[in-house]
Amino acid sequence: MWREVSDREAGKIRPSLFTSRVRSRRVAALQLSNRKEIVSPHRGAVNSIQVDLTEGRYLLSGSSDASVAIYDIQQASDYDEYGLIAKHRSLVAVDKHHEQGHKFAISSAIWYPIDTGLFVTGSYDHDIKVWDTNTSQAIMEYKMPGKVYGTAMSSIATTHMLIAAGSADVQVRLCDIASGAFTHTLSGHHDGVMTLEWSSSSEWVLMTGGCDGAIRFWDIRRAGCFLVLDQLRSQLGRRPALSVHSLKNANAERMTPGKNSAKAPPSHKRVPSGSVMKNLNNSNKHQNLPRGSATQRLHPGMSSSLNRATAHYGAVTGLKSTKDGIYLISSGSDSRLRLWDVESGCNTLVNFEAMRLQTSKPLQLAISHDSSLVFVPCMSSVKAYHVWSGVTFQTLRGHYESVNCCYFNYHDQESSRLVSIQSSSH
């Protein structure tokens, strides 16, 4: 460590590389904290947690007892009698006894991406509510046609304020905070939508996983999904990166005037005759389909063959995009983890080591700062897997019951997790 510090001071390594190495070492040293305790007010399983994206200070949690709570994870409420363990009690707690509280289990609790003044909850009582953090009052409410399984907002959006919502209904609905109404209805799944994830590289692309085993990609500016992932369509490993030399050549060709405008010299081809010419004409008739044909009208993601494609044998329970938006990680009720190339839509065939996942509810996955590790709730533990080898890097233990969700805090490199079937939390 000190050698790297001296190399950084001498200018032998770049600041970004030094930062990456320090963070990787801290992630490798993750273990259960014995100096910090989050005192949970929940009386049921914790289904969703998230640390705010602006300050990295406030933890939001939603529970099966229809309660939601907010904690300050940087400043302790008090300490134990010896002054060694910092206790973080809830700053805000809303339960079913609140006049505007949910009546049934909260399945999703997320922060408004650019401000801690708002947060969003989704519940099995078919309601999605937008809350004012300062007053603990619901300022907006959306009625869904079924149990709400998940909600998501884009962290990079600059032109919209949409909440994507998945429920027991087959349709994905987009709720607009600005207008207080539904703006889009995305149809394509054949069963309930269990998990949603916005692209980390485009504010217009939404990815959804359904109980029908399908993962669908949507561009919210157009009708229909444009991609359905198929586990049988695969590629081995990563896509080869473009070299600097090839990029320079491509730019040079693009900037050279008149290079691509010159017409190629006419080639002297032998003109076919007789039956050969007749066969060519027949083939051209099949190739030049009319503009209004069924094949032309169908969107690539909605063609009959792709529409039946599945990413998992069973429900898709979790989705997590890498930080660069190039790859997508999915989990399913078949206890499988898969890594997908977003551009090609191919399964990269990374063989993740054996795991046992919950099958009855959505799972909240987490990914490290450099997208090298993925954290997966595996029954009563959280397992960290190498993204590209599938090997188990670390197993985090400390819970006594099943873990439903985990969250990696980039501000202080904590894999924060707050899940318990009992009233106690870890």
Side-chain angles (χ1 to χ4, degrees), residues 109-121:
I110 59 173
W111 283 108
Y112 183 57
I114 59 175
D115 188 7
T116 55
L118 297 175
F119 64 90
V120 181
T121 57

Side-chain angles (χ1 to χ4, degrees), residues 32-49 59-63 65 67 69-71 73 85-90 380 397-405 415-426:
L32 185 63
S33 174
N34 56 6
R35 294 187 177 274
K36 180 181 290 190
E37 179 184 353
I38 297 177
V39 183
S40 171
H42 301 305
R43 300 287 176 178
V46 178
N47 296 323
S48 178
I49 58 174
L59 174 67
L60 176 67
S61 63
S63 172
D65 64 355
S67 65
I70 299 174
Y71 317 82
I73 58 175
I85 301 178
K87 295 189 176 183
H88 301 260
R89 303 184 186 276
S90 60
S380 61
R397 294 184 173 88
H399 289 283
Y400 299 103
E401 298 288 346
S402 295
V403 179
N404 300 324
C405 51
S415 183
S416 300
R417 60 205 195 285
L418 179 70
V419 184
S420 178
I421 300 300
Q422 302 168 356
S423 58
S424 59
S425 60
H426 304 275

Side-chain angles (χ1 to χ4, degrees), residues 27 72 74 98-99 102 109 121 137 142 169 182 203 220 238 246 270 274 279 288 308 342 360-361 374 378 421-422:
V27 171
D72 187 340
Q74 290 185 2
H98 189 281
E99 59 180 353
H102 288 286
T121 57
Q137 297 294 317
Y142 304 91
D169 185 57
F182 295 107
E203 63 177 298
I220 62 173
R238 309 189 191 199
S246 62
R270 185 179 178 182
N279 292 335
N288 299 327
R308 293 190 295 268
V342 171
S360 59
K361 59 172 59 178
V374 57
C378 296
I421 300 300
Q422 302 168 356

Side-chain angles (χ1 to χ4, degrees), residues 153-167:
M153 294 190 72
S154 175
S155 60
I156 62 172
T158 57
T159 57
H160 67 76
M161 302 168 61
L162 298 177
I163 305 170
S167 67

